[in-house]
Amino acid sequence: MTRRLIAHLDMDAFYASVELLRYPDLKGQPVVIGGGRRHQPELLPDGTRRYAILRHYAGRGVITTATYAARAFGVNSGMGLMKAAALAPDAVLLPIDFDEYRRYSRLFKAAVAEVVGTDPPVIEDRGVDEIYIDLSAQPGVEVDRGEAVARAIKARVLERTGLSCSIGVTPNKLLSKLASELDKPDGLTLLGHDDIPARIWPLPARRINGIGPKSAARLEALGIRSIGELAAADPAWLVTQFGAHYGRWLHEAAHGRDERAVVTHSEPVSLSRETTFDRDLHPRTDRAVLSGIFTRLCEQVADDLQRKGYVGRTIGLKLRYEDFRTVTRDLTLPQATADAAEIRRAAGLCLKRTPLDRRLRLLGVRVGKLERLADAPPRIHEPLAPYTASLFEH
């Protein structure tokens, strides 16, 4: 029986690295991605560019990613830009360009498929910047533990995109996810079960994918900080503390055991778009601004559906108020759709059932109950019941 060998590939500071291809003069500098359109670099008459600087930022945006030079200042993904400005005030701030990141995502995944070669390649897509690859059937992996094919993948990704990636190769997905982080950037880490005590157990327990902030805090309160300390804990005690399912899983994960297969295809449950505003917006005084954002989110979700080949029947609305209270509303249509106008109309009906007496900090639109466009029944064009204009309309 062939021994399982799974690779986890993670692109290095992906969004920031894509931006550095566009702005090579920023290479080696602290750069943060998370700005809006107003932070677009300005091209000067002499051919140089003027960049937005983090110290001048005002708003509630968060960092999508940052270069390694910026991370040296303690700046990390998910951090508020105002907090990051206090840590790295001279860091360059660039706007987010998801279309370009998705383009490079397709390029690097196609490059990996070229090297893996099997038809179809056993690759699990985990998002825009990471994938799992089952290397078990690749020639020569029993001899070099997958090093040659992993190096070939790294070289092909660099050739096709100009970007570096880090790869962990181990017997399973859990260990490979951990391994790919050990030697970033541009790393290649091969681990077997014998390497777990030296390489994995010293890591913080929260590094295990599946141990979130709340579980990590609870473990720490119980005196468990490292993966090794978790591995040494009595399994029965873990079950007592965390319940039968999660307690047993914690014990297995700490010992590097994971039997999950690389899943080559899974259908999404829903697609959504949302945005957090730079300042709180009121449905009455900021009606025109909110109306434009609302319509644009519906158009973006519709574009995502059409590009991915899906239609959906349930249209959802998400609002977060200034006090952080969040409300959602859903409406199920008689027929699935990917049409922006229909999504906008249904979301507007959801909006009419939502309190609009306070300022908003976030707005989102979701389409659920998805089905493949090719599998959807023929459409009967029956317009939705008319409704009066929402408070977001002029």
Side-chain angles (χ1 to χ4, degrees), residues 66-394:
T67 61
Y68 290 99
R71 295 180 192 188
F73 290 92
V75 171
N76 290 295
S77 302
M79 179 182 289
L81 287 169
M82 293 289 284
K83 181 178 180 180
L87 296 172
D90 295 321
V92 170
L93 176 61
L94 292 176
I96 301 168
D97 185 350
F98 286 118
D99 289 340
E100 189 72 349
Y101 309 148
R102 283 191 287 265
R103 185 172 77 86
Y104 272 92
S105 179
R106 292 191 293 270
L107 287 174
F108 95 74
K109 290 168 186 175
V112 173
E114 290 176 7
V115 175
V116 174
T118 54
D119 188 20
V122 187
I123 297 173
E124 180 175 337
D125 194 329
R126 296 301 300 171
V128 71
D129 63 346
E130 62 173 318
I131 55 176
Y132 288 102
I133 316 158
D134 192 330
L135 302 179
S136 305
Q138 293 293 307
V141 295
E142 288 291 336
V143 177
D144 68 354
R145 298 196 299 172
E147 180 176 358
V149 67
R151 290 196 181 280
I153 288 171
K154 285 171 60 66
R156 187 67 60 87
V157 168
L158 180 63
E159 175 190 344
R160 292 286 190 266
T161 69
L163 302 171
S164 69
C165 62
S166 294
I167 299 179
V169 184
T170 80
N172 59 55
K173 291 164 70 172
L174 183 145
L175 287 174
S176 294
K177 174 82 170 176
L178 289 166
S180 66
E181 293 285 336
L182 291 179
D183 299 305
K184 271 187 166 289
D186 198 22
L188 173 56
T189 305
L190 311 177
L191 295 181
H193 283 290
D194 292 344
D195 300 308
I196 291 175
R199 299 297 306 273
I200 301 300
W201 282 354
L203 301 175
R206 64 179 180 274
R207 292 280 291 275
I208 294 178
N209 190 30
I211 297 182
K214 290 183 179 179
S215 296
R218 190 173 174 195
L219 284 168
E220 188 165 346
L222 294 169
I224 295 176
R225 294 175 177 81
S226 70
I227 298 176
E229 290 170 338
L230 181 59
D234 179 50
W237 178 79
L238 288 173
V239 167
T240 301
Q241 295 294 325
F242 293 94
H245 177 75
Y246 194 61
R248 284 196 296 267
W249 177 83
L250 286 172
H251 176 74
E252 293 294 299
H255 286 272
R257 301 175 190 136
D258 178 21
E259 297 302 321
R260 292 174 300 158
V262 172
V263 179
T264 58
H265 178 74
S266 62
E267 297 289 348
V269 176
S270 65
L271 291 174
S272 63
R273 288 287 190 133
E274 64 181 44
T275 184
T276 300
F277 311 129
D278 288 340
R279 62 178 179 86
D280 294 336
L281 300 177
H282 198 284
R284 185 177 64 254
T285 57
D286 298 298
R287 183 171 55 187
V289 174
L290 283 167
S291 178
I293 295 171
F294 189 42
T295 299
R296 186 163 61 251
L297 289 171
C298 294
E299 292 170 345
Q300 289 172 338
V301 171
D303 179 68
D304 292 342
L305 288 165
Q306 294 165 19
R307 181 164 41 81
K308 296 176 182 290
Y310 289 96
V311 291
R313 291 185 60 206
T314 298
I315 312 301
L317 176 75
K318 177 180 177 181
L319 297 179
R320 181 167 296 143
Y321 297 103
E322 57 187 339
D323 61 357
F324 288 88
R325 187 169 66 91
T326 301
V327 299
T328 59
R329 297 289 186 269
D330 290 328
L331 174 65
T332 298
L333 303 175
Q335 297 181 27
T337 185
D339 180 75
E342 289 190 42
I343 293 170
R344 172 66 179 80
R345 180 181 292 271
L349 290 171
C350 294
L351 187 64
K352 288 180 65 64
R353 297 159 32 216
T354 308
L356 295 173
D357 55 349
R358 273 168 293 168
R359 292 184 178 276
L360 304 172
R361 58 183 291 117
L362 177 144
L363 175 62
V365 176
R366 179 181 64 86
V367 179
K369 291 190 177 178
L370 301 185
E371 53 188 292
R372 283 282 179 184
L373 178 60
D375 301 330
R379 286 181 52 79
I380 302 173
H381 292 282
E382 296 179 355
L384 293 172
Y387 69 101
T388 56
S390 76
L391 286 178
F392 285 180
E393 296 290 357
H394 290 287

